[in-house]
Amino acid sequence: MTSLSAEQLEHLKQLTGLEFLRTAFAAEDRPPFIGDLLGLEVESLEEGTVVFSVPTKPTFANPLGSLHGGICATLLDSVMGCSIHSTLEAGVGYGTLELKVNYIRTVPVDGARLVGTGRTIHVGRQVATAEGSIIDASGRLVAHGTTTCMIYR
């Protein structure tokens, strides 16, 4: 994977947030990102709602042998942030100001997929909020959270 050229970057700035996400995730030559490390897969990209999944892996274990909480926090940060990004106009960006995660149960690192869903709550001119949840392969809630993001115009 390579860096984006100046032409590619300029093209991406002309896309709405949803168009940007769809283009970026579909590109075969996109630069590496945190999702590559996690094995992230896009399940759904819609305006205001984003669904990603990641497999659990033994290398994601904490010292006790269950899934490290940072994996769920990263998945929630990704789906909630991208749900906000999916609503933005062309050339507008965002950054996470605050992330709150609630862990409901331990998760084994047995290769089962976790599915994270992010949904916008409010998207204003300068600040946006979203909520997210993570469900395990048995359909049980394992974590949920909220975020506040700054909108950059």
Side-chain angles (χ1 to χ4, degrees):
M1 295 190 198
T2 61
S3 299
L4 293 176
S5 70
E7 284 180 5
Q8 290 170 313
L9 284 172
E10 192 55 40
H11 169 70
L12 291 175
K13 288 180 186 178
Q14 306 305 313
L15 303 177
T16 67
L18 183 57
E19 291 168 338
F20 175 92
L21 290 171
R22 288 179 174 163
T23 300
F25 281 114
E28 291 182 19
D29 62 344
R30 66 170 167 66
F33 78 115
I34 188 70
D36 296 330
L37 204 66
L38 298 181
L40 183 140
E41 290 187 22
V42 175
E43 303 292 332
S44 170
L45 291 170
E46 300 300 329
E47 187 170 333
T49 303
V50 171
V51 182
F52 297 157
S53 66
V54 297
T56 60
K57 301 177 184 179
T59 55
F60 292 170
N62 62 30
L64 299 174
S66 59
L67 189 74
H68 188 282
I71 302 300
C72 287
T74 302
L75 180 55
L76 283 168
D77 188 41
S78 297
V79 295
M80 293 186 299
C82 286
S83 74
I84 290 169
H85 194 178
S86 73
T87 67
L88 300 179
E89 303 162 7
V92 177
Y94 74 98
T96 301
L97 289 173
E98 179 266 342
L99 175 68
K100 167 75 169 92
V101 178
N102 295 288
Y103 300 98
I104 305 303
R105 59 178 36 93
T106 59
V107 178
V109 289
D110 58 2
R113 292 199 80 74
L114 297 175
V115 177
T117 302
R119 295 166 295 282
T120 57
I121 297 171
H122 169 78
V123 180
R125 181 149 179 80
Q126 295 181 314
V127 175
T129 58
E131 62 186 359
S133 59
I134 300 177
I135 306 298
D136 68 12
S138 299
R140 298 176 302 174
L141 180 69
V142 300
H144 62 94
T146 57
T147 192
T148 304
C149 293
M150 175 68 74
I151 306 297
Y152 303 113
R153 297 188 180 275

